[in-house]
Amino acid sequence: MQIHADPITVNCRKVLAGLDFLGVPYELVHVDYFKGEQKSEPYVSLNPNASVPSMVDGDLVLWESNAILQYAAEKAGVEKAYPRDLKARADINRWLLWESSSWFPACYVYLVENCVKPLLGGQPDGNVLSAHDAQFHKLAAILDSRLADRPWVTGNNPTIADIALAAPMHLHGWQKLPHAQHKHLTRWLTENIESLPSWQKTWVGEGFTTQKH
Ligand SMILES: N[C@@H](CCC(=O)N[C@@H](CS)C(=O)NCC(=O)O)C(=O)O
């Protein structure tokens, strides 16, 4: 299985951490995000969205990070990480869809304003951030309440849903994500997710570095 990705981005880290978590081996084909390699050939022939990541497994080309996680988990048959039980799986699929449609955009605004813009010489736009604050807190409260009585999003074990939901928060300090008031969510992120070996192996730090000094 090949993963075409830049490990510094949210959805690429999600897939790389997820595959490590699942124990699925892969070959990384580096697509340099800040050089814009995702926007030109040969990459756009794989993924016409011009976004990373993408997977190639034999004759299957797959984009959408959560679809890649579902495929890999199913292919490897990792029952605990993506149970076959109808209701357990529906619950995980629900969180994967929610992450992609709602949670990722809500967190991404902070990444763009507080990380990407300053790195490229710009300034965070306070108006953009304050306009998104209510949406962030609405969604964070939903996840927080889900985590109030369980260590992981769908119960006592981590699944691909946890990896997917954590990815948009992966640079939370530098992102200045206002998550602290959501206590269960914060506990899950800083104590549970950040202790996972697969999360630690795919570490990304301030400045979008993958090197710890
Ligand atoms: N829903 C897609 C989103 C992919 C996505 O937006 N990737 C970002 C990096 S995290 C990207 O490549 N954006 C294109 C760009 O900024 O040029 C997925 O989950 O794979």
Side-chain angles (χ1 to χ4, degrees), residues 98 103 136-146 182 185:
W98 184 82
W103 186 234
F136 174 82
H137 286 295
K138 177 187 153 194
L139 298 179
I142 292 170
L143 194 48
D144 187 67
S145 127
R146 175 66 177 208
H182 304 282
L185 171 57

Side-chain angles (χ1 to χ4, degrees), residues 6 10 12 34-35 64 68 90 98 108 113 120 133 140 168 172-173 177 180 186 195 199:
D6 188 331
V10 168
C12 296
F34 279 111
K35 284 191 185 151
E64 281 301 323
I68 297 170
W98 184 82
Y108 199 57
E113 294 300 324
L120 300 178
D133 229 40
H172 56 91
L177 266 188
T186 299
S195 299
W199 198 254

Side-chain angles (χ1 to χ4, degrees), residues 26 45 71 102-103 105 110 113 119 123 130 176:
Y26 62 86
S45 288
Y71 172 80
S102 303
W103 186 234
Y110 297 88
E113 294 300 324
L119 200 72
Q123 296 277 336
S130 51
K176 299 194 176 77

Side-chain angles (χ1 to χ4, degrees), residues 31 33 36-40 43-54 63:
V31 180
Y33 178 80
E37 287 178 358
Q38 73 279 12
K39 295 181 191 157
S40 56
Y43 184 76
V44 286
S45 288
L46 275 186
N47 185 342
N49 297 289
S51 65
V52 277
S54 299
W63 34 262

Side-chain angles (χ1 to χ4, degrees), residues 3-213:
I3 301 294
H4 296 246
D6 188 331
I8 59 145
T9 81
V10 168
N11 289 300
C12 296
R13 184 182 185 186
K14 179 201 288 179
V15 164
L16 301 185
L19 294 183
D20 189 83
F21 171 68
L22 293 166
V24 172
Y26 62 86
E27 177 201 341
L28 177 65
V29 180
H30 191 254
V31 180
D32 194 313
Y33 178 80
F34 279 111
K35 284 191 185 151
E37 287 178 358
Q38 73 279 12
K39 295 181 191 157
S40 56
E41 293 295 357
Y43 184 76
V44 286
S45 288
L46 275 186
N47 185 342
N49 297 289
S51 65
V52 277
S54 299
M55 182 207 78
V56 180
D57 190 23
D59 61 359
L60 176 67
V61 176
L62 198 61
W63 34 262
E64 281 301 323
S65 55
N66 290 345
I68 297 170
L69 290 183
Q70 288 169 310
Y71 172 80
E74 181 69 29
K75 182 177 178 183
V78 189
E79 177 65 23
K80 268 195 169 176
Y82 194 41
R84 289 217 163 79
D85 171 81
L86 182 64
K87 290 182 179 171
R89 184 162 286 201
D91 189 22
I92 293 173
N93 288 342
R94 172 260 300 277
W95 288 109
L96 294 176
L97 290 165
W98 184 82
E99 185 274 327
S100 171
S101 61
S102 303
W103 186 234
F104 170 70
C107 296
Y108 199 57
V109 175
Y110 297 88
L111 191 78
V112 170
E113 294 300 324
N114 292 326
C115 308
V116 177
K117 276 195 183 172
L119 200 72
L120 300 178
Q123 296 277 336
D125 185 333
N127 293 332
V128 170
L129 287 168
S130 51
H132 278 85
D133 229 40
Q135 174 69 354
F136 174 82
H137 286 295
K138 177 187 153 194
L139 298 179
I142 292 170
L143 194 48
D144 187 67
S145 127
R146 175 66 177 208
L147 288 160
D149 60 354
R150 67 200 87 199
W152 302 95
V153 169
T154 60
N156 289 324
N157 301 301
T159 71
I160 57 172
D162 292 278
I163 303 285
L165 290 161
M169 307 183 77
H170 77 143
L171 287 161
H172 56 91
W174 189 33
Q175 257 172 291
K176 299 194 176 77
L177 266 188
H179 62 86
Q181 74 193 70
H182 304 282
K183 302 276 182 243
H184 309 296
L185 171 57
T186 299
R187 183 262 308 148
W188 163 81
L189 180 65
T190 59
E191 293 176 27
N192 296 12
I193 293 287
E194 290 179 351
S195 299
L196 288 173
S198 48
W199 198 254
Q200 294 173 356
K201 273 192 233 167
T202 54
W203 181 84
V204 180
E206 197 158 323
F208 295 109
T209 178
T210 52
Q211 307 291 317
K212 280 188 180 165
H213 299 292

